[in-house]
Amino acid sequence: MATARKLVDDTQTNLPFAYRQYSAAQLKEVLRKMYLIRRFEEGAEDSYTRGLIHGTMHLSIGQEASALGICMPLTTSDQITSTHRGHGHCIAKGADVKRMFAEFFGKTTGYCKGRGGSMHIADVSMGNLGANGIVAGGIPIAVGAALSAKRMKTGKVVVSFFGDGANNEGAFHEALNMASIWKLPVIFVCENNGYGMSTSTARSTAVKNIADRAAAYSMPGVIVNGNIFSEIAEASHAAVERARAGEGPTLIDSKTYRYRGHSKSDRNRYRTKEEIEDWISNRDPIALFEGELKDFGVIDDRGIDAIRESVRVEIEEGIEYAKASPSPELGDLERFVYTEQA
Amino acid sequence: MDATPRELSYSQAIQEAMALAMEADERVFLMGEDIGVYGGAFQVTGDLVERFGADRVMDTPISELGGAGVAVGAAMTGTRPIFEFQFSDFATLAMEQIVNQAAKMRFMLGGEVSVPVVMRFPAGSGTGAAAQHSQSLEAWLGHVPGLKVIQPATPYDAKGMLLAAVADPDPVMIFEHKLLYKMKGPVPEGHYTVPIGKAEIRREGRDLSIVATSIMVHKSLEAAELLAAEGIDIEVVDLRTIRPMDRATIIASVKKTSRLLCVYEAVKTLGIGAEVSATIAESEAFDYLDAPIVRLGGAETPIPYNPELEKATVPQVPDIVAAARDLVRGKR
Ligand SMILES: Cc1ncc(C[n+]2csc(CCOP(=O)(O)OP(=O)(O)O)c2C)c(N)n1
Ligand SMILES: [Mg+2]
């Protein structure tokens, strides 16, 4: 996805960024991935309800544009760290849904060989260093990866995804400070869905915008509408450019919303049905993006149907693959704890 | 007297204890992540915010280190906070305040202050929450002088020990196994305490002492019933407190049965089993032993996500049955 080809020439500057920056094929692929994330999570949710998946999971339905927009300027060798709400990041970074489902089903063919599950989903081959069960746990790790990139002159940039709740952990503050003093190629992406579990940012956070935190660490703090793909992609391009040029980190505050409960044990007592309904019907990132694509003549209804159908098939095949895959052997219980040496 | 005692679940028992403590003492209040309208990650605080208000059932930001530190500071200065960690695994983020501050403050200041803070830790595996949400870290804190560390195994003890913890002038760490929250048992109404530092014999027997903690007490009792059918008579000791440990009860039990099996969920090595074993090895009970001491603990691995692997990581009833039988039948 990294190499950009322009859909229209630069004189049409009234078009939003994405439609100046990307080809029609690239934009269609973005739409496909948005659907892939949503249907993947619906498929996972359904499998959970049927008792095929155990534990718990955190769904990012409603936040798909943010994962995709941020990953647009990244190459496969660039890296990310992700969160407990990390399925979308994983897919956006290039993972195969077959192996993600296999992980959720606890199978050896899963990305973590059945040891990690939803909360630790990763795809190291595509630069995803992993979801994380610890709020803010991935932020310093991303800074460490960026330190490697700088020391080893690999030219890589690193993105750290985290939620609004994470901005109140010490790890967030310590990590941003170090990234700034060492001018590391890292981008801090707060997927600000307004709540950390039941606690709204208004109740948990002393500043109005997470982006306001950037000032304390001398880096740009950018606010974007996290449900508008083009806005996010534009902010990500600018931050990646800055990082690659050796100018240091950026903090992006991507305002979005999660439709589902925090996890599988949420009574949704802390927000109203009207609020949820308003986001779903008026600000859905897929609906907004589809509308734009149609307005700008990138795709028609038949094209959209074809995408939905191909995603449906891919999800169905993914679940079948997971079901048919083998479970780990009990004898392997203590494997992977240490590096196996010859 | 009422023939059938009232039953509550373990989590209801804790909730009732917190409510009683707050009713009885203005200084008591609750802090934690999502303990207000959400009711706590495991619904232990439930609707307490409606009864006591958001001032006394305080939602904190996601800030374990800072939150624990605020609780320590508040406890040092006249209040009695009960601080809930959402998962015991997150004690790791707050280790500084627990280990360097709460545990040592009174000592460092020559006894001029005390730190009557209570911290609650939902612990253990069995929920499919994988490596970072399933650990049993009680022995970590048990290693620190200045802390008291308890693991109530029944609803009765959960209430009585929490009330004892609130009344205690020193920091008390409570590890609550998540799989116990729904377990029901008799719980009297009103205020009562169960002493910290006292083990409890849950089942008397002659052939073998099982010293167990938390959920393993129940698994051991189940194993004991199965073995009773084979004529093996097992004593089950519920340790209840791991610091300070009730060594006298363990020693007396082993002197009676001459055999010891330790059963606990935390990783086997360098844990509670080692401490219980050493207690016997260093005591007069050593001469009474008819067989080597055996420990059953968690495998040497983080908790895996896959449900079969997860089960295989910690002792289960058949493991306890097999180990106990081998010990008594002299196969050790
Ligand atoms: C250190 C730590 N504290 C608490 C939790 C429990 N927890 C998991 S997700 C979450 C809310 C996170 O909120 P946010 O960062 O906004 O991400 P979101 O869930 O909204 O995507 C909490 C409290 C945790 N996993 N790790
Ligand atoms: Mg959030």
Side-chain angles (χ1 to χ4, degrees), chain A residues 54 104 106 133 168-169 198 265, chain B residues 34 38 59 63-64 132 305-306:
Chain A
H54 86 144
F104 287 32
N168 294 313
E169 287 282 15
S198 67
S265 62
Chain B
D34 306 286
Y38 198 94
D59 275 334
S63 308
E64 289 79 11
Q132 295 173 334
Y305 165 70
N306 174 282

Side-chain angles (χ1 to χ4, degrees), chain A residues 252-288:
Chain A
I252 298 176
D253 181 351
S254 172
K255 314 263 194 204
T256 183
Y257 199 76
R258 71 168 149 73
Y259 296 172
R260 297 296 197 269
H262 165 72
S263 68
K264 287 290 160 196
S265 62
D266 187 340
R267 298 181 293 174
N268 267 321
R269 285 239 196 128
Y270 49 87
R271 52 183 191 174
T272 60
K273 278 205 177 66
E274 293 71 39
E275 178 183 298
I276 302 173
E277 205 33 62
D278 175 45
W279 280 86
I280 294 178
S281 30
N282 301 320
R283 277 171 277 182
D284 182 70
I286 300 185
L288 290 176

Side-chain angles (χ1 to χ4, degrees), chain B residues 88-243:
Chain B
S88 66
D89 310 69
F90 310 153
T92 55
L93 284 89
M95 262 332 193
E96 197 287 303
Q97 285 294 328
I98 299 172
V99 175
N100 294 324
Q101 311 298 342
K104 298 173 175 56
M105 198 58 79
R106 179 173 175 78
F107 175 81
M108 294 186 299
L109 273 53
E112 291 298 317
V113 295
S114 62
V115 187
V117 69
V118 175
M119 296 191 182
R120 298 183 32 247
F121 301 91
S125 69
T127 64
Q132 295 173 334
H133 288 73
S134 305
Q135 299 172 85
S136 299
L137 300 177
E138 55 276 358
W140 286 30
L141 297 187
H143 196 63
V144 183
L147 301 180
K148 297 181 181 178
V149 184
I150 64 178
Q151 287 184 279
T154 64
Y156 181 94
D157 281 2
K159 177 175 170 183
M161 294 185 91
L162 178 50
L163 285 169
V166 173
D168 199 287
D170 293 315
V172 180
M173 311 285 121
I174 310 181
F175 283 79
E176 303 162 357
H177 200 293
K178 285 166 266 175
L179 296 187
L180 293 178
Y181 280 137
K182 296 229 162 79
M183 171 177 281
K184 291 205 158 188
V187 178
E189 308 208 18
H191 189 280
Y192 67 91
T193 58
V194 172
I196 293 169
K198 281 296 297 166
E200 173 86 350
I201 312 264
R202 294 282 173 204
R203 186 185 197 282
E204 299 213 25
R206 284 168 290 115
D207 298 332
L208 165 71
S209 299
I210 295 183
V211 176
T213 55
S214 189
I215 194 166
M216 291 300 159
V217 171
H218 301 282
K219 293 188 181 178
S220 299
L221 287 168
E222 226 182 298
E225 284 313 310
L226 292 170
L227 288 168
E230 298 177 21
I232 296 175
D233 188 19
I234 292 177
E235 177 144 310
V236 177
V237 180
D238 175 359
L239 205 48
R240 297 203 293 197
T241 299
I242 64 168
R243 172 180 280 274

